[in-house]
Every structure is written in C-alpha cells, then in structure tokens.
Amino acid sequence: MMAVAYTAAVMPTAIINSETASLNVTSKLSVRSRICSFAKCSYSSLGSCESFLGGTRMADSSWNLFSSGKQSSRKMLLSPRAISDYPVGGDASLYSVDASRSVLGIILGGGAGTRLYPLTKKRAKPAVPIGANYRLIDIPVSNCINSNINKIYVLTQYNSASLNKHVSRAYATNLGSYRNEGFVEILAAQQSHDNPNWFQGTADAVRQYLWLFEEAQVMDYVILGGDHLYRMDYQKFIQVHRDTGADITVAALPMDEARASAFGLMKIDGKGRIYEFAEKPKEDELRAMQVDTTVLGLDSERAKLKSYIASMGIYVVRKEAMVSLLRKDFPEANDFGSEVIPGATKSGMKVQAYLFDGYWEDIGTIEAFYNANLGITKKPVPDFSFYDRISPIYTQPRFLPPSKMMDADIRDSVIGEGCIIRNAAIYHSSLGLRSWVSEGAVVEDTLLMGADYYETDQQRRELLSSGGIPMGIGRNSIVKRAIVDKNARIGENVQIVNVDNVREAEREADGFFIRSGLVTIFKDAIIPDGTII
C-alpha cells in the first residue's frame, strides 16, 4: 500500500470581526444551501452544519466560522476568496464540504495519440514515461491526492495495457481511511446494450459511465486530462467554483499574443464569467479575444503582456449540471471543449473562468514532449520541478538500486533509478530507469527512457559474442538531440545525430521516425553497429 501524506493548509493572516464574518456567510446562502442539501442536514443556524462543513480546522475550535450560532467579539482567521492559483498571501482552504467526500476526480486517458507516435505505438498517452522515473498519468493522480481528492477514475481506450499495469501497481486500492474510502480505478471503454460504440470523445466517455459517476455521493466532478504536465491545488479551483455559484468552472491559462493563436481562447465579463469561445483564432479574430486578466487576479503589468486566456481542458462541473448537459441538453455531443462547454454558455448556464498562473504543458506532440523533459534539466530553475516536499509526484515503487556512474562526465542532466554509466559523457539529457550507457559513448540533448528489465552481465557478454546487441547505448556511440524509447538496443559506433538535418521522416522498418528534426528510436528497436542516422 502506498503511504500518502496530506499537508494541512496554511491559514492566511487576514483578521476580521465575527460580525463581519456572519455577513460574509449570509452572502453565500445559495452555496451553503446546496452544501446542506448534500450533507442531508437542516439549515436552521450557522452552527447546524459545523460537523460537516468544518473543512480545515483552526487550532481553537471556538474560532471556527461554523462552530457556533452565537455572535462573539473574538477575532477569527478566515480564508479570503481565491481567484488565482498564484500565491498571494497564503493558501486558501475549502470552507465548504471536505473535497475527499464531495469531489470525484475523472481523468481522461486520451485518444490514439497519433501526434506522439511512435511513443504511443505500444502504450496510451498517459503511460508515456516522463522525468526519468515517472509516467504522465502520475501528474493528475498526484495533483488529486495532494488536493485531498481520493476518489479517482481513469478512463482509457487505446493501448491501455501498460497504463492499467502502472496504475494498479502504483496506487493502492484504498487511498483514504476507514471514514473516507478512496481509490484510483481504471474504467476501460466498453460496449453495452444501450451503447455499442467505443468512446467518441471526452464528453462521450464521461456520458457512457455517467450511471456510475451518479452513484457517487459528491457535489462536483473534476474533469482532468491525462497528458498534461503541471502542479495544481484543485482545492483552490473548487473553492472558486463554489464561491461564484458556477455550474462549470474552466481552468484558464494567461497567454501572450504569440502563443494564443494555438489554443482555444475565451472571453470573460467583469466578474470572470465566460461568454464567448474561439478555437485557434487568427489576426483580427485573435485580437478580438483580448480580455482584462486582472479580473482573474493577474497583476496589471503582467496583464498587459498576457491579455488572452486559453482553456486548459480542466473543468469543475456541478453534478446536477453534468447530468443535465450530457443526458438532456447535448445527448449527441462528443467533446467538452468544442461542444458541451460553449453550448452550456449559450444555454444560460453559469460558466466561470479560473486563472492558473503557473507552468503547464500539453504533452501533445513529440516536440512538446521533448522540450518538457529537457525543461526539467534547465538551470538555475527548471520549468517543472519534481522536487517538492509538500506536493510530491507519486509513482510506482520499483525498489531499484541507486544509479552507478563510473568515470563518467555528467552535466546538467537528470538520472533515473538503477542506471549504469561507464566512462561515458552525458550532457543536458534525461536518463530513465535502468538506462545503460557503455564506454566512450556521448549522449547530448537526449531523452533515454531506459528499460523495463535488466540484462545480466553474462547475458550481455553472450549477446556480444554471438553478434547480438545488448540493451542501452553501445560503445563509442554518439546520440544527440534524440528520443530513445524503452528497451532499445543501440550498437557500437552508432551515430544518431540527424546528419542530413531532416525535418520529417518515417522509417519504421529501420526502427526510427524523425519529427520536427528530432530522431525518435522505437521501443524495442535494434540499431546495428556503425549505423549513421
């Protein structure tokens, strides 16, 4: 069983009188009413829901906002309303129902992943390795666990065997306690009497399992992608969703004009409510999508530089709204981003924007995947760091030995567990689990994904003596600006350097593709001695 540590939220230092607090509570009656209905308790006084609505407790129970219906002259600490995920004076905590009991996490396993091919030839997108030790699915699952969301479903369809195995080994069947049972479970696409089709899109995937999601006694669903790299506290996201009384809240990333045209953009009013969408707009249509991002909490200087907001494909949806949208309003819609969410806006539902001002990368292409991995090696500050004591990224425990480097020259690189590097040079690269780099080899600006298993010294000697090629990088080989998938066997004196500066090439029979100038070696591929690519 995986041990999971939860960290208590740090309360901000805003101090107000209890009379003011009672006014703030009264202004949120609509949200409280829904909370009380969910909790199946009466709403006769401020104290009636205290046992259920406590959220993050104060050190002194008499300071709790919901601890008593009586007025007091004592001062108390309250969490201010959080609009942005960017820290501005302290963490905000959920003042409403505990996320572990009121939120269901739904992670979409993604489609065929054609733009990530050949990395997706034998695995689903969320199962693609990242950061030497991890897989992409570990990111949203860890964000959920760190956000106190421990009821998580992962919807899969394509090449799911590797993903299923990883999830079953990495996450215990019970992530909670005897009071709050949690889980991470795979839901595979299936044919049924009512629906003989496979998943047709993100919305259709959720619709086909809506009968199961409805059974969960929760208030909201958090819909997440399985192929994004970021760290986010979903509790703040959920708090804004409930504060604003929204039916749907969309996570939005601030964008400058240079990048904005590659995303689906949104327009908002002065209260952050979304009223217009545009998919990858250009020129005049693009400039028409500019918004005042200070409304969502961005400071004025950065708001001038980033005057667009792009959908991250991450949503919080009220349970009743989800059922209505997928069953009644848009029973034929297949996609959330292009059909359901814009349709909900036009039909009058309250669709709110939530600003996430941090690192986020959609791992949708080979180039994006390559840059995200090498961004981890950036100095002095990496684009994304796995070194976070408070919000760690969890993964499968493998019990591998520490990596062994013998007479090696290693600079600006990330080395995974169980690697062996013998008298080789590693520059600005990422080496995955069980990577083997032999004498005289040079690995530069490269991702080695490692291997699923070890070859013993005897097996390697037998392969070499019989003309075979062991796993890893052979002697005196040079690999630059490339991705080498798992279990690949690179012979001796091989050069993988894209010598002709080819931009695109499909050489599957030879064990490699070239995408955006990057050479990608297939999983289990064999590159003979002396090959030049």
Side-chain angles (χ1 to χ4, degrees), residues 105-109 140 144 222-226 228 230 234 237 313-315:
I106 302 172
I107 301 174
L108 304 172
C144 283
V222 176
I223 310 297
L224 307 168
H228 300 163
Y230 65 110
Y234 300 137
F237 190 11
I314 299 172
Y315 318 104

Side-chain angles (χ1 to χ4, degrees), residues 205-222:
V206 174
R207 182 189 294 109
Q208 290 196 34
Y209 274 105
L210 196 55
W211 61 271
L212 176 62
F213 303 150
E214 280 185 282
E215 293 178 358
Q217 298 299 308
V218 297
M219 293 168 57
D220 301 293
Y221 302 130
V222 176

Side-chain angles (χ1 to χ4, degrees), residues 243-452:
D243 276 350
T244 57
D247 296 301
I248 304 170
T249 303
V250 182
L253 197 70
M255 285 277 172
D256 56 26
E257 188 167 331
R259 296 182 62 202
S261 61
F263 293 86
L265 304 182
M266 303 172 288
K267 291 197 76 171
I268 55 174
D269 62 18
K271 295 184 178 179
R273 183 168 178 172
I274 301 170
Y275 65 87
E276 186 178 344
F277 292 85
E279 185 64 25
K280 299 181 180 179
K282 307 293 182 184
E283 299 177 352
D284 291 343
E285 186 183 359
L286 171 63
R287 286 184 283 274
M289 295 301 294
Q290 287 184 314
V291 298
D292 179 9
T293 46
T294 60
V295 170
L296 299 177
L298 208 63
D299 63 82
S300 57
E301 288 188 11
R302 298 187 69 244
K304 293 178 182 177
L305 300 174
K306 298 188 175 185
S307 57
Y308 300 88
I309 52 172
S311 172
M312 297 168 61
I314 299 172
Y315 318 104
V316 178
V317 185
R318 189 166 54 85
K319 181 179 181 180
E320 295 82 359
M322 179 72 84
V323 173
S324 177
L325 285 167
L326 297 185
R327 286 233 176 96
K328 300 176 183 177
D329 302 333
F330 307 100
E332 303 298 324
N334 291 328
D335 187 68
F336 276 115
S338 62
E339 298 176 87
V340 175
I341 306 297
T345 303
K346 292 178 181 178
S347 68
M349 279 193 174
K350 188 171 185 181
V351 182
Q352 193 76 19
Y354 169 80
L355 190 73
F356 174 76
D357 191 16
Y359 176 82
W360 175 86
E361 187 63 56
D362 180 3
I363 311 296
T365 65
I366 288 290
E367 188 174 16
F369 173 77
Y370 174 84
N371 290 334
N373 272 277
L374 286 193
I376 297 168
T377 69
K378 186 179 293 186
K379 60 180 184 181
V381 180
D383 291 337
F384 179 88
S385 176
F386 287 92
Y387 298 87
D388 192 312
R389 181 174 57 87
I390 296 176
S391 299
I393 303 300
Y394 304 100
T395 192
Q396 174 185 341
R398 300 176 180 88
F399 310 108
L400 289 171
S403 292
K404 189 189 314 184
M405 284 79 84
M406 294 162 281
D407 298 320
D409 181 9
I410 301 176
R411 305 177 191 176
D412 304 332
S413 297
V414 173
I415 311 297
E417 298 174 348
C419 298
I420 297 177
I421 305 171
R422 298 176 181 270
N423 193 21
I426 313 293
Y427 305 135
H428 189 228
S429 296
S430 174
L431 275 61
L433 303 162
R434 308 181 188 89
S435 289
W436 185 295
V437 184
S438 300
E439 294 89 338
V442 176
V443 177
E444 185 174 355
D445 299 329
T446 291
L447 310 180
L448 302 185
M449 292 191 183
D452 290 318

Side-chain angles (χ1 to χ4, degrees), residues 366-367 370 480-483 496-505 513-520 533:
I366 288 290
E367 188 174 16
Y370 174 84
K480 293 186 177 181
R481 193 170 164 74
I483 300 172
I496 303 175
V497 295
N498 194 1
V499 64
D500 295 323
N501 196 27
V502 176
R503 297 299 298 170
E504 305 288 331
F513 265 32
I514 300 178
R515 291 276 186 268
S516 302
L518 296 166
V519 178
T520 301
I533 300 177

Side-chain angles (χ1 to χ4, degrees), residues 13-135:
T13 56
I15 301 178
I16 63 173
N17 290 324
S18 59
E19 289 80 7
T20 307
S22 65
L23 292 175
N24 288 341
V25 173
T26 304
S27 68
K28 297 183 175 64
L29 285 178
S30 61
V31 177
R32 283 183 50 85
S33 297
R34 184 160 65 95
I35 293 168
C36 291
S37 174
F38 166 76
K40 299 180 181 178
C41 58
S42 61
Y43 179 56
S44 57
S45 69
L46 290 178
S48 61
C49 297
E50 183 262 333
S51 63
F52 202 86
L53 302 181
T56 302
R57 299 286 181 175
M58 311 283 183
D60 185 340
S61 61
S62 65
W63 284 24
N64 196 312
L65 178 59
F66 301 121
S67 64
S68 173
K70 298 179 182 180
Q71 297 295 317
S72 169
S73 61
R74 296 187 67 175
K75 295 183 177 181
M76 64 182 74
L77 294 175
L78 281 185
S79 300
R81 186 168 74 115
I83 290 295
S84 172
D85 201 54
Y86 214 63
V88 283
D91 272 339
S93 61
L94 281 173
Y95 64 82
S96 55
V97 181
D98 185 357
S100 67
R101 291 195 281 174
S102 67
V103 179
L104 181 69
I106 302 172
I107 301 174
L108 304 172
T114 54
R115 294 185 300 161
L116 264 181
Y117 193 87
L119 301 181
T120 53
K121 181 181 180 180
K122 297 182 178 181
R123 59 169 79 90
K125 275 200 295 183
V128 173
I130 194 166
N133 286 351
Y134 307 89
R135 293 180 186 250

